[in-house]
Amino acid sequence: MIDALNMVVHVWPVDGELPTLVDATDRRRMIDVFREELPKALKLEFVVEDCRVELVSYRRRQRCVLRYTVAGKTAGSEDVRSLIVYGKVTASGDETLKSRMLDELRDRILERAALYRFTLPRSFGPRPELQLSLLEALSGEAQIGPALKARLRGQPAPDAPSLEEMVATCGYVAAMLHGSGVELGRPRTLDDELTGLQPQIAGARQFVPSFGDRAQSWLERIAALAEQSEPLKLCLSHGDFKHEQLLFDGAGSGLVDFDGMCQAEPALDLGKFLAHLRAEAQKIQRRASVSSPLGDELAEQFLRAYVSAGDHVEDERRLRLRTTLYEAIALLRLALLSQQDLDETRLQLTTTVLEQRMSAIAVSA
């Protein structure tokens, strides 16, 4: 205890909010888990001999990502092979539901996904007693950010499909998710998104009253504009659909990070994707001292690909309006995080984009 700082310091992996992290990082404990889960998931006899545990991400409260390198042998072979498995420890308590949703989604979109050379990770089993989800590792890397940076800086493009192709692929992937027909997951509405921002705005008002008042004004404007349009039908949504979540490996692609899966308006995923894409483009332009319409052009490419991917779109005009509303919400959340991190440059960039999107809503409404 450090009383002067109101702080508790603990030794990894002891965490009072994630008590099962001790077991999830225990090599011997996890060897037993994989001996039980992997043969079922792989549908073959796989004899686990060893396991190495590595930390991937521990940046947020009540969430930790681990990488397991599992060594073992298949039946009839003396060759030792390694298998990479990602584990996510959370306090959400919905490991079994997430595993069911991912399994059902894989089954529903398998045929269409093959046309786009797109894949989803397999679930290697939920372990509720460890608050742990186990997922197959996908090959590839997040390539859109580096490709966007290279384009705006006039540098050679990364060894990947073109930037436009990758952004269009993201649109096709979103359409596959939303048209899957999977009905599992909690509902998540626009009102939920607005309500969820209130604690962050209250915190901003406490420490930076002028910015907190601006944030409250933006929230009220978004809510007022939202009342002028009808919500879209809820469907299975990723919940955190950003360009960083799409991995590209040559012409193939895969989607990761399914913590936020829910039933929501398709505009939730589309708006978040566009918010992060435009904000990234704006940040790169500022650092490179260039001006370019590339962010807006890629946003339109993404939406056109989404709309063209099937007959799941009820009303394109309403879809675009609701998408811009959710985009504004995502940008407001980014602005609040920038203020919380005392990142004045990112805050200025984000609020600039937010004001532009708010103006777009007012015109289209």
mmCIF file of all heavy atoms in Angstrom, residues 59-91:
data_model
loop_
_atom_site.group_PDB
_atom_site.id
_atom_site.type_symbol
_atom_site.label_atom_id
_atom_site.label_comp_id
_atom_site.label_asym_id
_atom_site.label_seq_id
_atom_site.Cartn_x
_atom_site.Cartn_y
_atom_site.Cartn_z
ATOM 1 N N ARG A 59 -2.864 -3.761 -20.625
ATOM 2 C CA ARG A 59 -2.954 -2.306 -20.564
ATOM 3 C C ARG A 59 -4.245 -1.809 -19.936
ATOM 4 O O ARG A 59 -4.340 -0.651 -19.559
ATOM 5 C CB ARG A 59 -2.822 -1.725 -21.973
ATOM 6 C CG ARG A 59 -1.475 -1.979 -22.623
ATOM 7 C CD ARG A 59 -1.452 -1.456 -24.043
ATOM 8 N NE ARG A 59 -2.432 -2.133 -24.882
ATOM 9 C CZ ARG A 59 -2.746 -1.770 -26.108
ATOM 10 N NH1 ARG A 59 -2.174 -0.717 -26.647
ATOM 11 N NH2 ARG A 59 -3.634 -2.441 -26.800
ATOM 12 N N ARG A 60 -5.265 -2.664 -19.886
ATOM 13 C CA ARG A 60 -6.567 -2.209 -19.416
ATOM 14 C C ARG A 60 -6.981 -2.988 -18.184
ATOM 15 O O ARG A 60 -6.573 -4.139 -17.991
ATOM 16 C CB ARG A 60 -7.616 -2.388 -20.528
ATOM 17 C CG ARG A 60 -7.328 -1.545 -21.750
ATOM 18 C CD ARG A 60 -8.206 -1.932 -22.910
ATOM 19 N NE ARG A 60 -9.618 -1.770 -22.622
ATOM 20 C CZ ARG A 60 -10.599 -2.127 -23.465
ATOM 21 N NH1 ARG A 60 -10.287 -2.644 -24.632
ATOM 22 N NH2 ARG A 60 -11.848 -1.957 -23.136
ATOM 23 N N ARG A 61 -7.799 -2.374 -17.373
ATOM 24 C CA ARG A 61 -8.281 -3.056 -16.168
ATOM 25 C C ARG A 61 -9.139 -4.252 -16.551
ATOM 26 O O ARG A 61 -9.862 -4.242 -17.537
ATOM 27 C CB ARG A 61 -9.127 -2.103 -15.325
ATOM 28 C CG ARG A 61 -8.335 -1.000 -14.649
ATOM 29 C CD ARG A 61 -9.269 -0.153 -13.809
ATOM 30 N NE ARG A 61 -10.003 -0.959 -12.845
ATOM 31 C CZ ARG A 61 -11.125 -0.544 -12.226
ATOM 32 N NH1 ARG A 61 -11.631 0.635 -12.511
ATOM 33 N NH2 ARG A 61 -11.733 -1.328 -11.349
ATOM 34 N N GLN A 62 -9.052 -5.278 -15.720
ATOM 35 C CA GLN A 62 -9.896 -6.469 -15.826
ATOM 36 C C GLN A 62 -9.767 -7.154 -17.186
ATOM 37 O O GLN A 62 -10.717 -7.752 -17.681
ATOM 38 C CB GLN A 62 -11.368 -6.114 -15.555
ATOM 39 C CG GLN A 62 -11.579 -5.523 -14.167
ATOM 40 C CD GLN A 62 -13.032 -5.285 -13.847
ATOM 41 O OE1 GLN A 62 -13.847 -5.034 -14.726
ATOM 42 N NE2 GLN A 62 -13.382 -5.371 -12.578
ATOM 43 N N ARG A 63 -8.559 -7.086 -17.755
ATOM 44 C CA ARG A 63 -8.364 -7.742 -19.054
ATOM 45 C C ARG A 63 -6.873 -7.999 -19.262
ATOM 46 O O ARG A 63 -6.050 -7.117 -19.037
ATOM 47 C CB ARG A 63 -8.902 -6.879 -20.183
ATOM 48 C CG ARG A 63 -8.762 -7.490 -21.560
ATOM 49 C CD ARG A 63 -9.481 -6.661 -22.589
ATOM 50 N NE ARG A 63 -10.896 -6.537 -22.287
ATOM 51 C CZ ARG A 63 -11.759 -5.857 -23.037
ATOM 52 N NH1 ARG A 63 -11.343 -5.234 -24.121
ATOM 53 N NH2 ARG A 63 -13.028 -5.789 -22.707
ATOM 54 N N CYS A 64 -6.550 -9.198 -19.704
ATOM 55 C CA CYS A 64 -5.159 -9.548 -19.969
ATOM 56 C C CYS A 64 -5.124 -10.561 -21.111
ATOM 57 O O CYS A 64 -5.907 -11.514 -21.125
ATOM 58 C CB CYS A 64 -4.509 -10.135 -18.715
ATOM 59 S SG CYS A 64 -2.789 -10.613 -18.952
ATOM 60 N N VAL A 65 -4.220 -10.347 -22.065
ATOM 61 C CA VAL A 65 -4.052 -11.264 -23.191
ATOM 62 C C VAL A 65 -2.731 -12.007 -23.030
ATOM 63 O O VAL A 65 -1.685 -11.382 -22.788
ATOM 64 C CB VAL A 65 -4.079 -10.516 -24.540
ATOM 65 C CG1 VAL A 65 -3.932 -11.502 -25.695
ATOM 66 C CG2 VAL A 65 -5.375 -9.715 -24.685
ATOM 67 N N LEU A 66 -2.800 -13.326 -23.193
ATOM 68 C CA LEU A 66 -1.627 -14.178 -23.049
ATOM 69 C C LEU A 66 -1.405 -14.973 -24.327
ATOM 70 O O LEU A 66 -2.353 -15.258 -25.064
ATOM 71 C CB LEU A 66 -1.813 -15.150 -21.881
ATOM 72 C CG LEU A 66 -2.115 -14.535 -20.515
ATOM 73 C CD1 LEU A 66 -2.576 -15.613 -19.536
ATOM 74 C CD2 LEU A 66 -0.895 -13.804 -19.974
ATOM 75 N N ARG A 67 -0.152 -15.336 -24.575
ATOM 76 C CA ARG A 67 0.164 -16.210 -25.702
ATOM 77 C C ARG A 67 0.760 -17.505 -25.149
ATOM 78 O O ARG A 67 1.725 -17.481 -24.385
ATOM 79 C CB ARG A 67 1.174 -15.555 -26.650
ATOM 80 C CG ARG A 67 1.523 -16.422 -27.866
ATOM 81 C CD ARG A 67 2.710 -15.866 -28.656
ATOM 82 N NE ARG A 67 2.427 -14.554 -29.225
ATOM 83 C CZ ARG A 67 2.991 -13.420 -28.813
ATOM 84 N NH1 ARG A 67 3.881 -13.442 -27.821
ATOM 85 N NH2 ARG A 67 2.692 -12.263 -29.373
ATOM 86 N N TYR A 68 0.160 -18.618 -25.556
ATOM 87 C CA TYR A 68 0.658 -19.925 -25.145
ATOM 88 C C TYR A 68 1.302 -20.612 -26.344
ATOM 89 O O TYR A 68 0.668 -20.750 -27.395
ATOM 90 C CB TYR A 68 -0.483 -20.805 -24.632
ATOM 91 C CG TYR A 68 -1.243 -20.242 -23.448
ATOM 92 C CD1 TYR A 68 -2.484 -19.610 -23.621
ATOM 93 C CD2 TYR A 68 -0.737 -20.348 -22.160
ATOM 94 C CE1 TYR A 68 -3.185 -19.106 -22.542
ATOM 95 C CE2 TYR A 68 -1.440 -19.838 -21.068
ATOM 96 C CZ TYR A 68 -2.658 -19.219 -21.266
ATOM 97 O OH TYR A 68 -3.352 -18.718 -20.198
ATOM 98 N N THR A 69 2.530 -21.041 -26.193
ATOM 99 C CA THR A 69 3.186 -21.858 -27.213
ATOM 100 C C THR A 69 3.178 -23.291 -26.689
ATOM 101 O O THR A 69 3.902 -23.618 -25.744
ATOM 102 C CB THR A 69 4.624 -21.389 -27.479
ATOM 103 O OG1 THR A 69 4.604 -20.010 -27.859
ATOM 104 C CG2 THR A 69 5.249 -22.213 -28.601
ATOM 105 N N VAL A 70 2.317 -24.093 -27.290
ATOM 106 C CA VAL A 70 2.080 -25.453 -26.798
ATOM 107 C C VAL A 70 2.862 -26.434 -27.664
ATOM 108 O O VAL A 70 2.710 -26.454 -28.893
ATOM 109 C CB VAL A 70 0.578 -25.800 -26.840
ATOM 110 C CG1 VAL A 70 0.332 -27.172 -26.211
ATOM 111 C CG2 VAL A 70 -0.236 -24.727 -26.117
ATOM 112 N N ALA A 71 3.682 -27.243 -27.037
ATOM 113 C CA ALA A 71 4.471 -28.245 -27.749
ATOM 114 C C ALA A 71 3.855 -29.617 -27.522
ATOM 115 O O ALA A 71 3.456 -29.960 -26.398
ATOM 116 C CB ALA A 71 5.916 -28.236 -27.266
ATOM 117 N N GLY A 72 3.753 -30.411 -28.603
ATOM 118 C CA GLY A 72 3.182 -31.740 -28.461
ATOM 119 C C GLY A 72 3.360 -32.569 -29.714
ATOM 120 O O GLY A 72 3.951 -32.122 -30.704
ATOM 121 N N LYS A 73 2.825 -33.780 -29.684
ATOM 122 C CA LYS A 73 2.939 -34.710 -30.805
ATOM 123 C C LYS A 73 1.556 -35.221 -31.186
ATOM 124 O O LYS A 73 0.688 -35.418 -30.331
ATOM 125 C CB LYS A 73 3.816 -35.910 -30.422
ATOM 126 C CG LYS A 73 5.240 -35.565 -30.053
ATOM 127 C CD LYS A 73 6.002 -36.813 -29.606
ATOM 128 C CE LYS A 73 7.440 -36.470 -29.195
ATOM 129 N NZ LYS A 73 8.151 -37.676 -28.701
ATOM 130 N N THR A 74 1.360 -35.413 -32.480
ATOM 131 C CA THR A 74 0.131 -36.043 -32.954
ATOM 132 C C THR A 74 0.304 -37.551 -32.950
ATOM 133 O O THR A 74 1.431 -38.069 -32.942
ATOM 134 C CB THR A 74 -0.216 -35.568 -34.376
ATOM 135 O OG1 THR A 74 0.901 -35.802 -35.230
ATOM 136 C CG2 THR A 74 -0.554 -34.094 -34.378
ATOM 137 N N ALA A 75 -0.815 -38.266 -32.960
ATOM 138 C CA ALA A 75 -0.783 -39.726 -32.890
ATOM 139 C C ALA A 75 0.020 -40.296 -34.049
ATOM 140 O O ALA A 75 -0.135 -39.881 -35.199
ATOM 141 C CB ALA A 75 -2.205 -40.275 -32.922
ATOM 142 N N GLY A 76 0.904 -41.252 -33.747
ATOM 143 C CA GLY A 76 1.675 -41.922 -34.780
ATOM 144 C C GLY A 76 2.892 -41.173 -35.249
ATOM 145 O O GLY A 76 3.552 -41.586 -36.205
ATOM 146 N N SER A 77 3.203 -40.042 -34.602
ATOM 147 C CA SER A 77 4.366 -39.244 -35.017
ATOM 148 C C SER A 77 5.243 -38.960 -33.817
ATOM 149 O O SER A 77 4.751 -38.737 -32.700
ATOM 150 C CB SER A 77 3.923 -37.927 -35.653
ATOM 151 O OG SER A 77 5.036 -37.097 -35.902
ATOM 152 N N GLU A 78 6.541 -38.977 -34.038
ATOM 153 C CA GLU A 78 7.494 -38.632 -32.985
ATOM 154 C C GLU A 78 7.980 -37.191 -33.115
ATOM 155 O O GLU A 78 8.786 -36.731 -32.310
ATOM 156 C CB GLU A 78 8.690 -39.593 -33.032
ATOM 157 C CG GLU A 78 8.353 -41.011 -32.598
ATOM 158 C CD GLU A 78 7.783 -41.062 -31.179
ATOM 159 O OE1 GLU A 78 8.372 -40.425 -30.276
ATOM 160 O OE2 GLU A 78 6.733 -41.720 -30.982
ATOM 161 N N ASP A 79 7.506 -36.500 -34.149
ATOM 162 C CA ASP A 79 7.922 -35.116 -34.365
ATOM 163 C C ASP A 79 7.154 -34.178 -33.443
ATOM 164 O O ASP A 79 5.915 -34.222 -33.386
ATOM 165 C CB ASP A 79 7.686 -34.704 -35.817
ATOM 166 C CG ASP A 79 8.545 -35.489 -36.786
ATOM 167 O OD1 ASP A 79 9.642 -35.908 -36.383
ATOM 168 O OD2 ASP A 79 8.106 -35.685 -37.939
ATOM 169 N N VAL A 80 7.881 -33.342 -32.743
ATOM 170 C CA VAL A 80 7.254 -32.359 -31.855
ATOM 171 C C VAL A 80 6.866 -31.136 -32.672
ATOM 172 O O VAL A 80 7.686 -30.596 -33.415
ATOM 173 C CB VAL A 80 8.212 -31.952 -30.717
ATOM 174 C CG1 VAL A 80 7.557 -30.870 -29.849
ATOM 175 C CG2 VAL A 80 8.586 -33.154 -29.871
ATOM 176 N N ARG A 81 5.633 -30.716 -32.572
ATOM 177 C CA ARG A 81 5.163 -29.519 -33.261
ATOM 178 C C ARG A 81 4.692 -28.498 -32.239
ATOM 179 O O ARG A 81 4.305 -28.851 -31.120
ATOM 180 C CB ARG A 81 4.030 -29.842 -34.232
ATOM 181 C CG ARG A 81 2.835 -30.502 -33.600
ATOM 182 C CD ARG A 81 1.694 -30.728 -34.558
ATOM 183 N NE ARG A 81 1.005 -29.500 -34.899
ATOM 184 C CZ ARG A 81 -0.253 -29.455 -35.336
ATOM 185 N NH1 ARG A 81 -0.952 -30.566 -35.497
ATOM 186 N NH2 ARG A 81 -0.804 -28.298 -35.628
ATOM 187 N N SER A 82 4.748 -27.243 -32.631
ATOM 188 C CA SER A 82 4.311 -26.159 -31.743
ATOM 189 C C SER A 82 3.005 -25.571 -32.248
ATOM 190 O O SER A 82 2.814 -25.392 -33.459
ATOM 191 C CB SER A 82 5.375 -25.065 -31.657
ATOM 192 O OG SER A 82 6.521 -25.546 -31.009
ATOM 193 N N LEU A 83 2.153 -25.242 -31.337
ATOM 194 C CA LEU A 83 0.854 -24.654 -31.650
ATOM 195 C C LEU A 83 0.710 -23.381 -30.830
ATOM 196 O O LEU A 83 0.917 -23.392 -29.606
ATOM 197 C CB LEU A 83 -0.259 -25.645 -31.303
ATOM 198 C CG LEU A 83 -1.694 -25.247 -31.622
ATOM 199 C CD1 LEU A 83 -1.904 -25.209 -33.126
ATOM 200 C CD2 LEU A 83 -2.671 -26.233 -30.985
ATOM 201 N N ILE A 84 0.375 -22.271 -31.493
ATOM 202 C CA ILE A 84 0.173 -20.997 -30.800
ATOM 203 C C ILE A 84 -1.302 -20.844 -30.459
ATOM 204 O O ILE A 84 -2.171 -20.970 -31.324
ATOM 205 C CB ILE A 84 0.622 -19.801 -31.657
ATOM 206 C CG1 ILE A 84 2.081 -19.967 -32.095
ATOM 207 C CG2 ILE A 84 0.442 -18.491 -30.892
ATOM 208 C CD1 ILE A 84 3.065 -19.971 -30.970
ATOM 209 N N VAL A 85 -1.576 -20.568 -29.196
ATOM 210 C CA VAL A 85 -2.942 -20.342 -28.725
ATOM 211 C C VAL A 85 -2.961 -19.027 -27.957
ATOM 212 O O VAL A 85 -2.067 -18.765 -27.138
ATOM 213 C CB VAL A 85 -3.424 -21.483 -27.801
ATOM 214 C CG1 VAL A 85 -4.847 -21.218 -27.310
ATOM 215 C CG2 VAL A 85 -3.343 -22.830 -28.511
ATOM 216 N N TYR A 86 -3.957 -18.193 -28.234
ATOM 217 C CA TYR A 86 -4.108 -16.953 -27.480
ATOM 218 C C TYR A 86 -5.175 -17.126 -26.412
ATOM 219 O O TYR A 86 -6.223 -17.739 -26.641
ATOM 220 C CB TYR A 86 -4.477 -15.790 -28.410
ATOM 221 C CG TYR A 86 -3.294 -15.264 -29.177
ATOM 222 C CD1 TYR A 86 -2.996 -15.736 -30.450
ATOM 223 C CD2 TYR A 86 -2.451 -14.321 -28.607
ATOM 224 C CE1 TYR A 86 -1.884 -15.269 -31.145
ATOM 225 C CE2 TYR A 86 -1.336 -13.845 -29.284
ATOM 226 C CZ TYR A 86 -1.066 -14.327 -30.554
ATOM 227 O OH TYR A 86 0.034 -13.873 -31.226
ATOM 228 N N GLY A 87 -4.863 -16.611 -25.249
ATOM 229 C CA GLY A 87 -5.811 -16.671 -24.142
ATOM 230 C C GLY A 87 -6.141 -15.284 -23.645
ATOM 231 O O GLY A 87 -5.258 -14.421 -23.550
ATOM 232 N N LYS A 88 -7.414 -15.058 -23.365
ATOM 233 C CA LYS A 88 -7.822 -13.754 -22.834
ATOM 234 C C LYS A 88 -8.517 -13.981 -21.499
ATOM 235 O O LYS A 88 -9.522 -14.693 -21.419
ATOM 236 C CB LYS A 88 -8.746 -13.037 -23.810
ATOM 237 C CG LYS A 88 -9.120 -11.636 -23.356
ATOM 238 C CD LYS A 88 -9.722 -10.814 -24.484
ATOM 239 C CE LYS A 88 -8.693 -10.384 -25.487
ATOM 240 N NZ LYS A 88 -9.249 -9.449 -26.504
ATOM 241 N N VAL A 89 -7.962 -13.379 -20.456
ATOM 242 C CA VAL A 89 -8.546 -13.440 -19.119
ATOM 243 C C VAL A 89 -9.310 -12.145 -18.887
ATOM 244 O O VAL A 89 -8.751 -11.055 -19.028
ATOM 245 C CB VAL A 89 -7.460 -13.607 -18.043
ATOM 246 C CG1 VAL A 89 -8.091 -13.767 -16.656
ATOM 247 C CG2 VAL A 89 -6.569 -14.802 -18.343
ATOM 248 N N THR A 90 -10.586 -12.256 -18.566
ATOM 249 C CA THR A 90 -11.403 -11.072 -18.301
ATOM 250 C C THR A 90 -12.285 -11.324 -17.085
ATOM 251 O O THR A 90 -12.404 -12.452 -16.610
ATOM 252 C CB THR A 90 -12.325 -10.717 -19.491
ATOM 253 O OG1 THR A 90 -13.329 -11.730 -19.614
ATOM 254 C CG2 THR A 90 -11.537 -10.612 -20.790
ATOM 255 N N ALA A 91 -12.891 -10.260 -16.612
ATOM 256 C CA ALA A 91 -13.812 -10.374 -15.485
ATOM 257 C C ALA A 91 -15.264 -10.385 -15.949
ATOM 258 O O ALA A 91 -16.181 -10.255 -15.141
ATOM 259 C CB ALA A 91 -13.588 -9.215 -14.511
#
